[in-house]
Amino acid sequence: MSDVADSVFEPFWSATARGELRVQECEECGTRRWPPRVSCANCASELASWVAVEGRGRVYSWVVVHRTALESMRSRVPYTVLIVELDESPNLRFVGGLAPGESDAAVAIGAPVRALLHTDEDGRTRPYWSPVD
Amino acid sequence: MAGEISISGVGETAYARRSERNVVSLAVEAVKNAAADAGLELGAIDGLIPIGSQITADDVMGALGLPLRFVSTTPLGGAAAVANLQLAEAAIHQGAASNVVILLAHKSASHATIDKRVRSLPGQTLRTELEIPYGWQTPAQWYAMICRRHMHEWGTTKDHMAAVALTMRANAQLNPGAMMYGRPMTREDYDAAPPIVDPYQRLDCSLETDGAAAVVIGVDGRAGVRVAGVGVGRPSSPDDLSNRRDWMAIGLSEAAPRVYEQAGIGPADVDAAMIYDCFTFEVIHQLEEAGFFPRGEAGPRIAAGAIALDGELPVNPHGGLLSEGHLGGLNHVVEAVRQLRGVCGERQLPAPERIAVTGWGGMGDGSMAILERAAG
């Protein structure tokens, strides 16, 4: 199961490692999709390309986690988790965290944010989000 | 034949924060109680639907020697208890079994808490790749996200959520079997509870429970409670909460109209509702998506007393998952049957004829049944 999953997600992580945020676009019907899937839920085509997106969006919802069972996150509580809707593709929403050093003071539904690619301790480069003034 | 299948027996163990007994022992007690309640010898139970990851048919057969010829289950998280009423009916219709027990037994408080149980849900690749690295991993954390959006879009407030918690706790004061019996809650208690995942505080969250519950489905049951309608629904992206076009639309939104149609009634014909109250906001959310209130109106109506025992739509007279105990919502089926039988003592509703029961699980899977007091 894991090697199949890796093949679906690999292009995304390769792109973030190069400093790009990309999402899938169906080569048959043109529907953009997120999260990555093996085929298009609109037309079932398995042909997809990876297109770059600008990484600007608005907070769709957010929570502040005060208790976590994840060892990796224990030292960070309380921390904010965001869902961000992309400006250019309003039906695509990313789950993410606040960029390092950002406070949650400016976080509210509708607040503009931009993606910042940050390489975590595990070596993977992931999108985090910074409030835009 | 649909009208002939009924819920013929219900049974449970005590619900506790910590049981010294093992899970199979709890399961055995619940099955024996349910069979006795149905007036059945154990040997008459020939179908079993185990729910959850902590009990198997092998465990139950090994302990009780049941002559099982039908064993199956619909794995659907917290929506499974109600969803499996459908499976039990299908098995009986098909002739695979005559008396099917739906069984949930777990030691969730002391052994396998929710953060461990969720790792068996579908969508683990998505969780691992895109969510857990940001520390978004538990049902409380997922559903708090929907709650926040509802607060923004539809005006739900902490006052509304407090009203849910306080109503459930008040109901539990009339239920000697509830974990929170004898432990009333004030608004001050609610406000002072520590944050879990803002906007949820401790008392917005359901209990973790050690215990077991069982329900017998059969033909010609003596309980006089029939399943007038039952259905299951999944949201448009069942494994991904974030990218739904309509964030409030869940499996229940799609299942409820089918269930009303099957039962030949509408929401206004329901006398009470057992709502899967894993969190306070989920009562508000599901009451709206099941069609009892328009979106944005459940909260204010709850704050005005709508779901209290003497309200227009009493919800969870037993105290629910928030204050009776968390048996995956199978305890909601048990309570609905007892209310329809009229055996609930101080918390008994005045002669209810139809009660809706909902389930909610995973990233928004839903189930609903309408249980009805059979004529005569």
Side-chain angles (χ1 to χ4, degrees):
Chain A
M1 188 175 105
S2 60
D3 56 331
V4 175
D6 286 346
S7 72
V8 177
F9 282 83
E10 193 281 328
F12 177 72
W13 298 123
S14 298
T16 58
R18 296 191 304 270
E20 300 166 350
L21 197 60
R22 288 181 179 264
V23 299
Q24 279 177 307
E25 185 174 275
C26 177
E27 291 187 2
E28 299 280 337
C29 74
T31 302
R32 284 190 179 186
R33 65 179 185 256
W34 185 256
R37 303 279 190 188
V38 296
S39 54
C40 174
N42 185 51
C43 75
S45 168
E46 294 169 51
L47 300 174
S49 50
W50 284 82
V51 297
V53 292
E54 203 184 351
R56 287 183 177 273
R58 285 170 194 279
V59 175
Y60 192 79
S61 195
W62 60 286
V63 298
V64 181
V65 176
H66 290 261
R67 286 175 53 109
T68 179
L70 296 169
E71 204 61 55
S72 58
M73 299 301 288
R74 270 202 189 128
S75 63
R76 303 195 205 171
V77 292
Y79 59 87
T80 301
V81 183
L82 307 167
I83 291 181
V84 174
E85 185 167 77
L86 296 184
D87 286 342
E88 62 195 280
S89 296
N91 288 312
L92 303 188
R93 305 192 193 102
F94 278 74
V95 175
L98 280 175
E102 297 284 1
S103 102
D104 66 2
V107 174
I109 289 179
V113 291
R114 65 180 169 81
L116 183 142
L117 294 174
H118 174 79
T119 303
D120 286 322
E121 282 172 14
D122 62 2
R124 182 160 275 180
T125 303
R126 298 186 173 89
Y128 287 80
W129 301 88
S130 294
V132 176
D133 295 326
Chain B
M1 187 167 167
E4 298 170 22
I5 294 177
S6 64
I7 300 180
S8 54
V10 296
E12 60 205 326
T13 63
Y15 298 159
R17 183 85 188 100
R18 176 174 295 277
S19 171
E20 299 304 321
R21 296 158 58 190
N22 75 21
V23 176
V24 180
S25 164
L26 295 169
V28 162
E29 181 184 342
V31 171
K32 284 182 174 176
N33 288 344
D37 186 52
L40 293 173
E41 299 291 331
L42 284 173
I45 294 170
D46 53 3
L48 183 72
I49 298 177
I51 296 175
S53 55
Q54 298 187 45
I55 190 76
T56 67
D58 295 37
D59 294 332
V60 179
M61 289 185 82
L64 288 174
L66 303 180
L68 299 180
R69 56 194 180 99
F70 174 79
V71 174
S72 187
T73 194
T74 298
L76 210 60
V82 172
N84 277 303
L85 292 171
Q86 188 181 47
L87 180 62
E89 283 209 343
I92 294 169
H93 276 300
Q94 197 270 340
S98 299
N99 294 292
V100 178
V101 168
I102 301 174
L103 168 68
L104 193 151
H106 62 196
K107 296 183 72 170
S108 289
S110 62
H111 176 62
T113 47
I114 186 66
D115 56 292
K116 300 185 185 72
R117 300 200 302 276
V118 292
R119 289 174 200 165
S120 62
L121 290 173
Q124 290 303 312
T125 304
L126 272 180
R127 310 283 88 79
T128 302
E129 294 277 339
L130 298 179
E131 297 178 354
I132 291 172
Y134 300 108
W136 200 48
Q137 189 245 347
T138 67
Q141 293 160 10
W142 303 332
Y143 308 157
M145 203 67 92
I146 308 178
C147 176
R148 173 92 67 196
R149 184 72 197 180
H150 197 277
M151 294 170 92
H152 172 79
E153 208 168 328
W154 298 99
T156 284
T157 67
K158 286 293 282 187
D159 285 343
H160 303 156
M161 293 155 68
V164 173
L166 291 166
T167 305
M168 295 306 104
R169 189 62 68 91
N171 290 352
Q173 303 318 304
L174 304 177
N175 175 8
M179 289 172 73
M180 290 297 145
Y181 180 68
R183 296 177 61 183
M185 184 200 299
T186 65
R187 177 62 193 263
E188 290 68 34
D189 297 331
Y190 175 86
D191 289 337
I196 302 296
V197 47
D198 184 62
Y200 285 152
Q201 293 164 262
R202 170 76 53 76
L203 296 177
D204 290 301
C205 304
S206 51
L207 301 165
E208 292 272 29
T209 303
D210 287 7
V215 168
V216 187
I217 318 293
V219 177
D220 298 325
R222 307 191 310 181
V225 173
R226 70 183 197 99
V227 181
V230 58
V232 175
R234 287 177 168 83
S236 56
S237 55
D239 58 351
D240 171 43
L241 183 158
S242 306
N243 285 282
R244 287 172 199 155
R245 304 245 165 136
D246 177 351
W247 248 39
M248 297 307 145
I250 48 178
L252 179 63
S253 324
E254 188 253 311
R258 281 191 271 116
V259 176
Y260 290 126
E261 188 181 354
Q262 193 184 347
I265 63 164
D269 303 312
V270 169
D271 299 314
M274 306 297 156
I275 303 293
Y276 195 91
D277 55 328
C278 46
F279 302 96
T280 50
F281 164 72
E282 270 315 310
V283 173
I284 295 168
H285 188 193
Q286 291 171 59
L287 283 172
E288 293 178 354
E289 296 309 308
F292 292 110
F293 301 103
R295 283 184 184 172
E297 287 188 20
R301 299 274 281 279
I302 290 168
I307 66 167
L309 284 184
D310 60 353
E312 60 189 276
L313 182 73
V315 168
N316 300 350
H318 55 328
L321 309 177
L322 286 161
S323 280
E324 186 194 49
H326 199 319
L327 270 292
L330 199 56
N331 51 324
H332 289 38
V333 177
V334 170
E335 176 71 1
V337 169
R338 289 183 176 151
Q339 285 287 344
L340 290 166
R341 290 175 176 178
V343 297
C344 287
E346 275 194 277
R347 68 179 190 280
Q348 178 63 47
L349 302 170
E353 291 185 4
R354 291 184 200 90
I355 296 179
V357 189
T358 71
W360 155 269
M363 286 286 180
D365 297 330
S367 53
M368 181 167 133
I370 291 171
L371 307 187
E372 188 172 71
R373 191 166 45 149

